[in-house]
Amino acid sequence: VEKGDNARQAEALVQKIISYRIFPDSDGKMNLSLKDIQAGLMLVSQFTLAADTNKGLRPSFSSAMPPHEAEKLFQYTVDHATASYSQVVSGVFAANMRIELLNNGPVTFLLEN
């Protein structure tokens, strides 16, 4: 969550995440969405994604939203996702978490609004 992000953007991002066609169909083409394959969605807060690494040897997090505001928007996003899709779990805001992930394929997407 970065400075300037808002609830409208969070809602649009949730819809994009659950509808984004990145899973293979029977022909092996990325053509199916999370909804289509009825997979789970895990939302985890990670402020380090807001890091600016363009200068120096230490990342800057000045673009990250202050924690008290970011937590509210993150929780709003989780609530909206839960209302929009049946299989949503989330991490704990600002907690140190260990997450197991099975990455199916060499692809990663950065979705922005």
PDB file of all heavy atoms in Angstrom, residues 21-40:
ATOM      1  N   ARG A  21      -6.685 -13.550 -16.220  1.00  0.00           N
ATOM      2  CA  ARG A  21      -6.574 -14.860 -16.875  1.00  0.00           C
ATOM      3  C   ARG A  21      -5.106 -15.264 -16.999  1.00  0.00           C
ATOM      4  O   ARG A  21      -4.446 -14.962 -17.987  1.00  0.00           O
ATOM      5  CB  ARG A  21      -7.268 -14.815 -18.225  1.00  0.00           C
ATOM      6  CG  ARG A  21      -8.744 -14.514 -18.065  1.00  0.00           C
ATOM      7  CD  ARG A  21      -9.513 -14.406 -19.329  1.00  0.00           C
ATOM      8  NE  ARG A  21      -8.693 -14.325 -20.533  1.00  0.00           N
ATOM      9  CZ  ARG A  21      -9.180 -14.161 -21.742  1.00  0.00           C
ATOM     10  NH1 ARG A  21     -10.473 -14.058 -21.929  1.00  0.00           N
ATOM     11  NH2 ARG A  21      -8.383 -14.095 -22.783  1.00  0.00           N
ATOM     12  N   ILE A  22      -4.633 -15.985 -15.987  1.00  0.00           N
ATOM     13  CA  ILE A  22      -3.221 -16.381 -15.946  1.00  0.00           C
ATOM     14  C   ILE A  22      -3.018 -17.884 -15.775  1.00  0.00           C
ATOM     15  O   ILE A  22      -1.888 -18.356 -15.754  1.00  0.00           O
ATOM     16  CB  ILE A  22      -2.464 -15.642 -14.824  1.00  0.00           C
ATOM     17  CG1 ILE A  22      -3.091 -15.931 -13.468  1.00  0.00           C
ATOM     18  CG2 ILE A  22      -2.399 -14.160 -15.112  1.00  0.00           C
ATOM     19  CD1 ILE A  22      -2.303 -15.401 -12.284  1.00  0.00           C
ATOM     20  N   PHE A  23      -4.093 -18.629 -15.674  1.00  0.00           N
ATOM     21  CA  PHE A  23      -3.986 -20.071 -15.477  1.00  0.00           C
ATOM     22  C   PHE A  23      -4.269 -20.796 -16.788  1.00  0.00           C
ATOM     23  O   PHE A  23      -5.096 -20.351 -17.586  1.00  0.00           O
ATOM     24  CB  PHE A  23      -4.942 -20.530 -14.375  1.00  0.00           C
ATOM     25  CG  PHE A  23      -4.637 -19.894 -13.050  1.00  0.00           C
ATOM     26  CD1 PHE A  23      -5.362 -18.805 -12.602  1.00  0.00           C
ATOM     27  CD2 PHE A  23      -3.590 -20.365 -12.265  1.00  0.00           C
ATOM     28  CE1 PHE A  23      -5.063 -18.197 -11.390  1.00  0.00           C
ATOM     29  CE2 PHE A  23      -3.284 -19.771 -11.054  1.00  0.00           C
ATOM     30  CZ  PHE A  23      -4.023 -18.684 -10.617  1.00  0.00           C
ATOM     31  N   PRO A  24      -3.590 -21.913 -17.021  1.00  0.00           N
ATOM     32  CA  PRO A  24      -3.716 -22.591 -18.319  1.00  0.00           C
ATOM     33  C   PRO A  24      -5.063 -23.281 -18.523  1.00  0.00           C
ATOM     34  O   PRO A  24      -5.612 -23.875 -17.602  1.00  0.00           O
ATOM     35  CB  PRO A  24      -2.578 -23.621 -18.294  1.00  0.00           C
ATOM     36  CG  PRO A  24      -2.301 -23.863 -16.851  1.00  0.00           C
ATOM     37  CD  PRO A  24      -2.631 -22.579 -16.143  1.00  0.00           C
ATOM     38  N   ASP A  25      -5.540 -23.187 -19.756  1.00  0.00           N
ATOM     39  CA  ASP A  25      -6.739 -23.930 -20.142  1.00  0.00           C
ATOM     40  C   ASP A  25      -6.308 -25.303 -20.658  1.00  0.00           C
ATOM     41  O   ASP A  25      -5.135 -25.682 -20.541  1.00  0.00           O
ATOM     42  CB  ASP A  25      -7.565 -23.147 -21.168  1.00  0.00           C
ATOM     43  CG  ASP A  25      -6.825 -22.891 -22.483  1.00  0.00           C
ATOM     44  OD1 ASP A  25      -5.783 -23.537 -22.744  1.00  0.00           O
ATOM     45  OD2 ASP A  25      -7.288 -22.035 -23.259  1.00  0.00           O
ATOM     46  N   SER A  26      -7.208 -26.045 -21.257  1.00  0.00           N
ATOM     47  CA  SER A  26      -6.886 -27.408 -21.726  1.00  0.00           C
ATOM     48  C   SER A  26      -5.858 -27.407 -22.855  1.00  0.00           C
ATOM     49  O   SER A  26      -5.236 -28.429 -23.121  1.00  0.00           O
ATOM     50  CB  SER A  26      -8.160 -28.123 -22.170  1.00  0.00           C
ATOM     51  OG  SER A  26      -8.781 -27.395 -23.218  1.00  0.00           O
ATOM     52  N   ASP A  27      -5.662 -26.262 -23.498  1.00  0.00           N
ATOM     53  CA  ASP A  27      -4.644 -26.147 -24.551  1.00  0.00           C
ATOM     54  C   ASP A  27      -3.324 -25.583 -24.029  1.00  0.00           C
ATOM     55  O   ASP A  27      -2.402 -25.327 -24.807  1.00  0.00           O
ATOM     56  CB  ASP A  27      -5.157 -25.254 -25.687  1.00  0.00           C
ATOM     57  CG  ASP A  27      -6.342 -25.854 -26.423  1.00  0.00           C
ATOM     58  OD1 ASP A  27      -6.379 -27.098 -26.563  1.00  0.00           O
ATOM     59  OD2 ASP A  27      -7.222 -25.085 -26.845  1.00  0.00           O
ATOM     60  N   GLY A  28      -3.242 -25.362 -22.728  1.00  0.00           N
ATOM     61  CA  GLY A  28      -2.022 -24.836 -22.140  1.00  0.00           C
ATOM     62  C   GLY A  28      -1.863 -23.326 -22.274  1.00  0.00           C
ATOM     63  O   GLY A  28      -0.817 -22.783 -21.948  1.00  0.00           O
ATOM     64  N   LYS A  29      -2.889 -22.634 -22.742  1.00  0.00           N
ATOM     65  CA  LYS A  29      -2.848 -21.176 -22.899  1.00  0.00           C
ATOM     66  C   LYS A  29      -3.316 -20.506 -21.611  1.00  0.00           C
ATOM     67  O   LYS A  29      -4.246 -20.974 -20.956  1.00  0.00           O
ATOM     68  CB  LYS A  29      -3.770 -20.725 -24.035  1.00  0.00           C
ATOM     69  CG  LYS A  29      -3.491 -21.384 -25.360  1.00  0.00           C
ATOM     70  CD  LYS A  29      -2.429 -20.655 -26.100  1.00  0.00           C
ATOM     71  CE  LYS A  29      -2.334 -21.218 -27.505  1.00  0.00           C
ATOM     72  NZ  LYS A  29      -1.062 -21.118 -28.071  1.00  0.00           N
ATOM     73  N   MET A  30      -2.666 -19.407 -21.239  1.00  0.00           N
ATOM     74  CA  MET A  30      -3.124 -18.631 -20.075  1.00  0.00           C
ATOM     75  C   MET A  30      -4.467 -18.014 -20.426  1.00  0.00           C
ATOM     76  O   MET A  30      -4.545 -16.987 -21.099  1.00  0.00           O
ATOM     77  CB  MET A  30      -2.122 -17.531 -19.732  1.00  0.00           C
ATOM     78  CG  MET A  30      -0.877 -18.014 -19.088  1.00  0.00           C
ATOM     79  SD  MET A  30       0.130 -16.592 -18.628  1.00  0.00           S
ATOM     80  CE  MET A  30       1.473 -17.401 -17.840  1.00  0.00           C
ATOM     81  N   ASN A  31      -5.526 -18.664 -19.988  1.00  0.00           N
ATOM     82  CA  ASN A  31      -6.855 -18.232 -20.392  1.00  0.00           C
ATOM     83  C   ASN A  31      -7.886 -18.340 -19.282  1.00  0.00           C
ATOM     84  O   ASN A  31      -9.036 -17.979 -19.476  1.00  0.00           O
ATOM     85  CB  ASN A  31      -7.298 -19.074 -21.603  1.00  0.00           C
ATOM     86  CG  ASN A  31      -8.366 -18.395 -22.415  1.00  0.00           C
ATOM     87  OD1 ASN A  31      -8.441 -17.174 -22.457  1.00  0.00           O
ATOM     88  ND2 ASN A  31      -9.199 -19.182 -23.053  1.00  0.00           N
ATOM     89  N   LEU A  32      -7.490 -18.850 -18.116  1.00  0.00           N
ATOM     90  CA  LEU A  32      -8.442 -19.057 -17.030  1.00  0.00           C
ATOM     91  C   LEU A  32      -8.083 -18.164 -15.845  1.00  0.00           C
ATOM     92  O   LEU A  32      -6.919 -17.907 -15.568  1.00  0.00           O
ATOM     93  CB  LEU A  32      -8.454 -20.524 -16.598  1.00  0.00           C
ATOM     94  CG  LEU A  32      -8.831 -21.534 -17.682  1.00  0.00           C
ATOM     95  CD1 LEU A  32      -8.712 -22.961 -17.142  1.00  0.00           C
ATOM     96  CD2 LEU A  32     -10.221 -21.264 -18.221  1.00  0.00           C
ATOM     97  N   SER A  33      -9.099 -17.754 -15.128  1.00  0.00           N
ATOM     98  CA  SER A  33      -8.914 -16.894 -13.962  1.00  0.00           C
ATOM     99  C   SER A  33      -8.996 -17.704 -12.673  1.00  0.00           C
ATOM    100  O   SER A  33      -9.349 -18.887 -12.685  1.00  0.00           O
ATOM    101  CB  SER A  33     -10.003 -15.815 -13.948  1.00  0.00           C
ATOM    102  OG  SER A  33     -11.261 -16.405 -13.648  1.00  0.00           O
ATOM    103  N   LEU A  34      -8.715 -17.037 -11.581  1.00  0.00           N
ATOM    104  CA  LEU A  34      -8.859 -17.633 -10.259  1.00  0.00           C
ATOM    105  C   LEU A  34     -10.282 -18.161 -10.079  1.00  0.00           C
ATOM    106  O   LEU A  34     -10.489 -19.263  -9.587  1.00  0.00           O
ATOM    107  CB  LEU A  34      -8.546 -16.561  -9.204  1.00  0.00           C
ATOM    108  CG  LEU A  34      -8.167 -16.989  -7.813  1.00  0.00           C
ATOM    109  CD1 LEU A  34      -6.849 -17.729  -7.819  1.00  0.00           C
ATOM    110  CD2 LEU A  34      -8.078 -15.769  -6.918  1.00  0.00           C
ATOM    111  N   LYS A  35     -11.257 -17.357 -10.513  1.00  0.00           N
ATOM    112  CA  LYS A  35     -12.659 -17.775 -10.430  1.00  0.00           C
ATOM    113  C   LYS A  35     -12.908 -19.031 -11.253  1.00  0.00           C
ATOM    114  O   LYS A  35     -13.618 -19.931 -10.806  1.00  0.00           O
ATOM    115  CB  LYS A  35     -13.596 -16.665 -10.917  1.00  0.00           C
ATOM    116  CG  LYS A  35     -13.661 -15.461 -10.027  1.00  0.00           C
ATOM    117  CD  LYS A  35     -14.715 -14.481 -10.463  1.00  0.00           C
ATOM    118  CE  LYS A  35     -14.463 -13.926 -11.843  1.00  0.00           C
ATOM    119  NZ  LYS A  35     -15.367 -12.837 -12.220  1.00  0.00           N
ATOM    120  N   ASP A  36     -12.332 -19.072 -12.460  1.00  0.00           N
ATOM    121  CA  ASP A  36     -12.571 -20.206 -13.347  1.00  0.00           C
ATOM    122  C   ASP A  36     -12.074 -21.515 -12.753  1.00  0.00           C
ATOM    123  O   ASP A  36     -12.716 -22.555 -12.908  1.00  0.00           O
ATOM    124  CB  ASP A  36     -11.882 -19.988 -14.698  1.00  0.00           C
ATOM    125  CG  ASP A  36     -12.477 -18.835 -15.483  1.00  0.00           C
ATOM    126  OD1 ASP A  36     -13.692 -18.585 -15.372  1.00  0.00           O
ATOM    127  OD2 ASP A  36     -11.703 -18.182 -16.214  1.00  0.00           O
ATOM    128  N   ILE A  37     -10.920 -21.476 -12.107  1.00  0.00           N
ATOM    129  CA  ILE A  37     -10.364 -22.720 -11.553  1.00  0.00           C
ATOM    130  C   ILE A  37     -10.739 -22.906 -10.082  1.00  0.00           C
ATOM    131  O   ILE A  37     -10.373 -23.905  -9.479  1.00  0.00           O
ATOM    132  CB  ILE A  37      -8.836 -22.791 -11.737  1.00  0.00           C
ATOM    133  CG1 ILE A  37      -8.115 -21.728 -10.918  1.00  0.00           C
ATOM    134  CG2 ILE A  37      -8.477 -22.699 -13.218  1.00  0.00           C
ATOM    135  CD1 ILE A  37      -6.613 -21.929 -10.847  1.00  0.00           C
ATOM    136  N   GLN A  38     -11.459 -21.939  -9.526  1.00  0.00           N
ATOM    137  CA  GLN A  38     -11.932 -21.980  -8.138  1.00  0.00           C
ATOM    138  C   GLN A  38     -10.793 -22.210  -7.156  1.00  0.00           C
ATOM    139  O   GLN A  38     -10.884 -23.043  -6.254  1.00  0.00           O
ATOM    140  CB  GLN A  38     -13.038 -23.023  -7.982  1.00  0.00           C
ATOM    141  CG  GLN A  38     -14.240 -22.706  -8.844  1.00  0.00           C
ATOM    142  CD  GLN A  38     -15.344 -23.724  -8.712  1.00  0.00           C
ATOM    143  OE1 GLN A  38     -15.215 -24.753  -8.067  1.00  0.00           O
ATOM    144  NE2 GLN A  38     -16.470 -23.425  -9.323  1.00  0.00           N
ATOM    145  N   ALA A  39      -9.723 -21.449  -7.337  1.00  0.00           N
ATOM    146  CA  ALA A  39      -8.563 -21.530  -6.455  1.00  0.00           C
ATOM    147  C   ALA A  39      -8.688 -20.514  -5.326  1.00  0.00           C
ATOM    148  O   ALA A  39      -9.494 -19.582  -5.394  1.00  0.00           O
ATOM    149  CB  ALA A  39      -7.283 -21.272  -7.252  1.00  0.00           C
ATOM    150  N   GLY A  40      -7.882 -20.689  -4.312  1.00  0.00           N
ATOM    151  CA  GLY A  40      -7.882 -19.769  -3.189  1.00  0.00           C
ATOM    152  C   GLY A  40      -7.056 -18.529  -3.465  1.00  0.00           C
ATOM    153  O   GLY A  40      -6.150 -18.526  -4.302  1.00  0.00           O
TER     154      GLY A  40
END
